[in-house]
């Protein structure tokens, strides 16, 4: 079983749509959670950290459910520029290990 | 502020040859990480430096891979001898010395072993 599981997609949505991505992680010791965005042939870039209480950044909302080991990302009012691969990422800094564990990513294509 | 830089951007070599990848982290970042993505797989951790010391090298696949960070600034990752399965994108990332410091990624080196 992969440590971080994501639906690979692709998710094809029209501009203005709301889309949600889900992710599950297997290591209950995970303490930090992130969504990274990766454009084609580019490096991953941090989109947002995910906090236990849930957090919002503009059109993006992230939620964490520790009991279910489940993370979500909601994108409202999708823009063409949101087209990218969204990577669910976890780590366990409290164990002293700083390495990030990546999911394989969910591809989003926003269409005009 | 300059971001993480990597050199070269692309490298095509033959099986059995040696390749050295370089990473320059963001200035002042003590933590430097190497990751790689092979075709069709997720990005996987290779190793982590704190300054010049290897903090965690649990992700290094085998002894054909050698990473160094002399002086605690830039780092090199040498693959010798390269095998076909080493093909992929090698990313470097750096972070400040914080418990949950954000890792900033470089543009990656695309390695193709023929």
């Amino acid at each position: 079983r992969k440590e971080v599981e994501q639906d690979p997609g692709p998710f094809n949505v029209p501009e203005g749509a709301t889309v949600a991505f889900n992710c599950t992680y297997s290591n209950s010791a995970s303490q930090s959670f992130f969504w990274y965005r990766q454009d084609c042939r580019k490096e991953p870039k941090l989109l947002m950290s995910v906090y236990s209480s849930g957090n919002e950044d503009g059109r993006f909302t992230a939620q964490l459910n520790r009991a279910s080991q489940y993370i979500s990302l909601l994108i409202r009012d999708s823009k063409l520029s949101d087209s990218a691969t969204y990577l669910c990422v976890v780590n366990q800094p409290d164990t002293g290990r700083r390495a990030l564990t990546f999911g394989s990513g969910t591809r989003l294509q926003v269409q005009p | 502020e300059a971001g993480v830089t990597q050199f070269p951007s692309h490298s095509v070599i033959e099986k059995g040859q040696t390749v050295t990848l370089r990473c320059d982290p963001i200035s002042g970042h003590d933590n430097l990480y190497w990751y790689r993505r092979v075709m069709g797989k997720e990005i996987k951790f290779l190793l982590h430096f704190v300054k010049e010391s290897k903090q965690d090298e649990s992700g290094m696949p085998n002894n054909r891979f050698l990473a160094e960070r002399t002086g605690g600034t830039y780092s090199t990752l040498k693959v010798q001898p390269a095998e076909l399965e080493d093909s992929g994108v090698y990313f470097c990332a750096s972070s400040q010395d914080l418990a949950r410091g954000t890792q900033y990624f470089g543009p990656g080196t695309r390695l193709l072993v023929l």
Side-chain angles (χ1 to χ4, degrees), chain B:
Chain B
E1 180 185 287
V4 178
T5 58
Q6 293 186 245
F7 182 83
S9 58
H10 296 78
S11 181
V12 181
I13 61 172
E14 293 188 350
K15 176 182 168 180
Q17 289 186 320
T18 297
V19 63
T20 300
L21 314 181
R22 172 171 169 145
C23 168
D24 286 78
I26 293 172
S27 178
H29 282 193
D30 288 338
N31 295 275
L32 186 150
Y33 311 80
W34 284 98
Y35 295 85
R36 79 171 175 180
R37 183 172 206 160
V38 298
M39 181 79 76
K41 301 284 189 181
E42 63 273 17
I43 296 171
K44 289 210 165 175
F45 167 76
L46 296 178
L47 88 160
H48 169 209
F49 283 99
V50 178
K51 297 184 179 177
E52 67 275 10
S53 300
K54 289 177 186 173
Q55 182 76 11
D56 179 357
E57 50 186 329
S58 60
M60 293 288 263
N62 52 61
N63 59 9
R64 295 185 295 103
F65 289 75
L66 175 65
E68 294 181 323
R69 193 183 181 196
T70 307
T73 54
Y74 70 91
S75 173
T76 58
L77 179 65
K78 181 160 70 173
V79 185
Q80 178 182 31
E83 298 289 345
L84 300 179
E85 64 264 25
D86 300 332
S87 297
V89 184
Y90 290 76
F91 291 106
C92 175
S94 72
S95 71
Q96 289 182 318
D97 188 19
L98 299 171
R100 289 172 172 77
T102 298
Q103 294 187 24
Y104 298 91
F105 282 76
T109 293
R110 280 159 184 78
L111 174 64
L112 179 60
V113 183
L114 302 176

Side-chain angles (χ1 to χ4, degrees), chain A residues 38 41 43 97-98 100, chain B residues 35 37 56 103 106 110:
Chain A
Q38 187 173 25
R41 301 183 70 78
E43 70 273 22
R97 192 158 185 263
R98 300 287 189 263
L100 298 178
Chain B
Y35 295 85
R37 183 172 206 160
D56 179 357
Q103 294 187 24
R110 280 159 184 78

Side-chain angles (χ1 to χ4, degrees), chain A residues 3 6 11 19 21 33 51 104 107:
Chain A
E3 288 190 66
Q6 293 183 252
F11 283 60
V19 61
F21 305 139
F33 309 90
Y51 303 115
S104 54
R107 195 155 66 88

Side-chain angles (χ1 to χ4, degrees), chain A residues 16 34 38 46 66 86 94 97 112:
Chain A
F34 311 91
Q38 187 173 25
L46 179 66
R66 286 186 185 272
Y86 290 83
D94 294 346
R97 192 158 185 263

